[in-house]
Amino acid sequence: MDKVIAQHYSWEEFVEKISVDEYDDGEDMSPLLEELAGLHEHPFNLNTATKDDLEQLPFLDADEIEEILAYVYRYGPMQSLGELMLIEELDYQTRQFLALFVYVENPVEEKEKLRLKTLLKGGRHEVTSRLDVPLYKRDGYQIPEDEVLLKNPNKVYLGNSLYHNIRYTYQYRNRLFWGFTAEKDAGEPFGSYGNMAYDAYSFHFLLKDCGKLKALALGDYRVGFGEGLVVNSDFSLGKSTLFNMGDTRPSIKKFSSTSETSFFRGMAVTFRFGKVDVSAFYSYLPTDATLRKDGTVSSLKTDGLHRTLLELSKKHNVMEQSAGADVTWNTEYFSLGATAFYQHFSRSFSKGTELYRQYYPEGKDFLNASLHYRWHRDRFSFSGETAFSNVYGGWATLNKAIYRFNHRYSVVALQRLFAYQYVGLRANSFSEGGAVRNESGFYMGVEAAPLNELKLSAYVDYFYFPWVKFGIPHASEGVEGTFQADWVVSRKWELSGRYQLKRKERYGQPYLYHKLKVQAQCMPSKVWEWRGVARYTRVRDVYGRHVGGYMGGSILKWKDRKNRLNVAGSCVYFDSEDYKAPMSFYEPSLLYAFAFMTMYGQGMRAAVNARWNVAKHWMLMCKYGATGYFDRDEIGEGLQRIGGRWKNDLSFLLRYKF
């Protein structure tokens, strides 16, 4: 039985490759990365994988999934992951990514029927607990004098500075999942101010592929249909992955993240009747919101933080009820579906008087409906969705076409038009402005692999905002272009480079920035790995001033030959003139935790992360990090201010599997 996942890429490099550039633009990818970390820890058998299984991996497009399934069907079970090299549609990087999430073994044992006894005793339990201990004190934890506190009760955090979570999960292969999560953020009260111990709790249950029942979810779950123009609580990789951006695969999935947004709470089900999938879901979810003086909703609060009396007053003050359905007809080359989604809030939304908010949500009830479609034949595929909303009568459409000349050369084009009258509170799709509203654009991308060891990719995205935006009292536009090269020099060395140019308006003036990133990786032996990265950013701000910054850092990793102990150390120096040109760096961190350090000014960051497989069932992880600034005597401001130029922290994670 070959369960050994022979991989060249480490988990940390995978995370950095798919996400660091999206973090630069403010995209929170933590929920997606938590989900992928779970798949990495619990890989599935490639010989018995279904289309639904492979669609969980966002770096695989529809053509690649079809070719993997076709290979196993034609030639029988794979004997090793090395056979992935025989699938021409999979390039080197995709094969390495895939090896992080799959294994191969004899599929005979997979054919047994699903029995209750097997479900309850044949799976794997996992309990993890994480604790973060800051070795510094922010102003929010300093208790002010009574007179000051009476005048401003929000001058202090209600809880201590520790972060803590606990998770329990059960998984039977890729068929049954359940578990719960409890979390307390730093500064949140524990067991007081209305909290039953932790501030946030989550429970999930998911059963898959049981006769005509394709999926049944209870508790917290995620759904996504079409291209995400109506409802999508799933996650995507944005512009960085050319051939599956904007691609929301119809699905119902468990939600096991510590994130406190982007999920539903209730029940969801999908039945498969021949070629037709019928899905329905209902959710009743308490939601955080910022209220106006008249009690109407100004905006929904999505950070999940409840550290002060003001933040606590926004907790769960609006109830969201939602229900939806989707019917999709699938054939070998074509699929057509219809989605309807209804939301009711216990309080009315108020759009306010500002001009840029004129077409913001208003009222308690919102209805969206759409048609989504997909056609694929040979080297060409086309997919899209067109949606309508009852508020203001707005509509939105997104369409994408891909053509593959062969397994080395491909081109993709994407068009979107989101009317400024369109309102989709649960919509989440490919966009520049971060919302499915007030945007049109055209994206063109190409990928080329002239050599087996060399991959080139580039894209250009033009976007236009027809209605006014915050700080821009007129229609505006922008353009973004990126070129990237990945070169496998040898079995031990890899090089990559990425250049990005972006122009858009801010506060009525053009804003231009350049980003350059180069990276080298070396694996001199099976136990040592080194990676070095350098970044340079130059920005022309709205006043015509040029500011810039640079960063250089490296990561050194070691593991013993039995893989019981892994140690990773990282160090980075950064020098940025202004917060407008921040430097980003990904460093190895704890399981299910992702450390994307965004820094500006002059200073350095160093961290050491260790993972020790203590025994068969126990694993312990520890991390120590230190950030120092050379150009200031304090860090941050307000309640987050630290009275010194150094910030040190400790983190621990303990896992028990049985």
Side-chain angles (χ1 to χ4, degrees), residues 205-209 213-218 252 267-270:
F205 173 92
L206 178 65
L207 175 64
K208 297 172 61 178
D209 300 325
L213 179 66
K214 182 180 176 182
L216 170 65
L218 301 173
I252 293 174
M267 177 179 178
V269 63
T270 297

Side-chain angles (χ1 to χ4, degrees), residues 266-465:
M267 177 179 178
V269 63
T270 297
F271 289 98
R272 175 164 290 172
F273 303 101
K275 296 180 179 180
V276 179
D277 288 351
V278 179
S279 302
F281 60 95
Y282 171 79
S283 172
Y284 187 79
L285 182 67
T287 305
D288 295 359
T290 300
L291 305 180
R292 299 184 185 274
K293 292 182 179 180
D294 61 0
T296 58
V297 178
S298 172
S299 62
L300 299 178
K301 186 176 182 291
T302 59
D303 59 14
L305 297 175
H306 310 112
R307 302 165 298 182
T308 65
L309 289 175
L310 178 61
E311 291 179 346
L312 204 58
S313 70
K314 301 178 181 182
K315 181 179 180 180
H316 297 174
N317 52 13
V318 176
M319 302 305 298
E320 175 193 355
Q321 287 192 78
S322 55
D326 178 87
V327 179
T328 300
W329 173 54
N330 300 286
T331 68
E332 183 178 359
Y333 302 110
F334 179 74
S335 70
L336 177 66
T339 305
F341 179 57
Y342 170 74
Q343 288 173 285
H344 172 78
F345 290 86
S346 59
R347 296 177 183 266
S348 291
F349 280 73
S350 175
K351 62 184 179 181
T353 59
E354 299 90 343
L355 183 61
Y356 74 92
R357 294 176 60 99
Q358 181 171 341
Y359 293 99
Y360 273 38
E362 187 172 42
K364 290 184 176 182
D365 299 283
F366 303 90
L367 176 66
N368 297 77
S370 76
L371 287 177
H372 53 87
Y373 32 86
R374 185 187 306 271
W375 181 77
H376 167 75
R377 188 67 183 266
D378 298 328
R379 299 176 180 178
F380 180 77
S381 65
F382 174 80
S383 61
E385 182 178 18
T386 299
F388 172 82
S389 67
N390 68 323
V391 182
Y392 312 122
W395 64 284
T397 185
L398 183 149
N399 299 279
K400 180 179 66 172
I402 298 175
Y403 185 75
R404 299 180 182 275
F405 298 92
N406 51 46
H407 68 280
R408 292 184 181 271
Y409 300 94
S410 306
V411 61
V412 58
L414 182 147
Q415 166 272 337
R416 74 266 193 195
L417 197 164
F418 309 147
Y420 52 80
Q421 301 97 332
Y422 185 77
V423 175
L425 294 177
R426 285 288 196 160
N428 177 25
S429 188
F430 181 96
S431 69
E432 169 62 29
V436 181
R437 180 184 63 241
N438 186 29
E439 178 177 331
S440 61
F442 183 79
Y443 174 105
M444 176 71 75
V446 295
E447 281 190 355
L451 303 172
N452 290 332
E453 302 82 8
L454 180 64
K455 180 180 179 180
L456 307 175
S457 59
Y459 70 79
V460 176
D461 184 36
Y462 168 79
F463 41 89
Y464 175 70
F465 307 114

Side-chain angles (χ1 to χ4, degrees), residues 118 193 201 224 347 349 419 501 608 621 656:
T118 305
Y193 292 92
Y201 293 89
R347 296 177 183 266
F349 280 73
L501 171 67
V608 177
M621 297 187 75
Y656 176 58

Side-chain angles (χ1 to χ4, degrees), residues 131-303:
L131 176 67
D132 293 354
V133 184
L135 305 179
Y136 50 84
K137 196 166 188 177
R138 299 186 185 275
D139 283 358
Y141 303 106
Q142 308 279 0
I143 306 299
E145 297 180 358
D146 292 342
E147 296 180 358
V148 176
L149 194 58
L150 286 173
K151 291 182 179 180
N152 189 353
N154 293 295
K155 270 281 190 181
V156 62
Y157 290 140
L158 302 176
N160 59 45
S161 60
L162 302 177
Y163 171 90
H164 186 251
N165 72 38
I166 185 168
R167 298 168 179 256
Y168 163 75
T169 60
Y170 175 85
Q171 177 177 346
Y172 175 76
R173 298 183 183 169
N174 206 31
R175 307 278 303 272
L176 177 66
F177 309 82
W178 73 64
F180 71 86
T181 302
E183 182 193 43
K184 170 202 171 302
D185 288 304
E188 292 180 339
F190 185 84
S192 59
Y193 292 92
N195 285 343
M196 295 180 61
Y198 293 89
D199 175 75
Y201 293 89
S202 175
F203 167 79
H204 68 271
F205 173 92
L206 178 65
L207 175 64
K208 297 172 61 178
D209 300 325
C210 186
K212 293 186 179 298
L213 179 66
K214 182 180 176 182
L216 170 65
L218 301 173
D220 294 347
Y221 61 89
R222 297 182 289 113
V223 296
F225 302 104
E227 305 294 335
L229 303 188
V230 167
V231 55
N232 178 27
S233 54
D234 215 333
F235 318 108
S236 63
L237 298 183
K239 300 177 183 179
S240 63
T241 302
L242 301 183
F243 292 87
N244 63 2
M245 74 319 190
D247 188 4
T248 302
R249 290 142 181 180
S251 63
I252 293 174
K253 297 181 179 179
K254 64 183 176 68
F255 182 85
S256 56
S257 169
T258 55
S259 172
E260 297 179 38
T261 59
S262 300
F263 66 93
F264 293 94
R265 178 167 292 170
M267 177 179 178
V269 63
T270 297
F271 289 98
R272 175 164 290 172
F273 303 101
K275 296 180 179 180
V276 179
D277 288 351
V278 179
S279 302
F281 60 95
Y282 171 79
S283 172
Y284 187 79
L285 182 67
T287 305
D288 295 359
T290 300
L291 305 180
R292 299 184 185 274
K293 292 182 179 180
D294 61 0
T296 58
V297 178
S298 172
S299 62
L300 299 178
K301 186 176 182 291
T302 59
D303 59 14

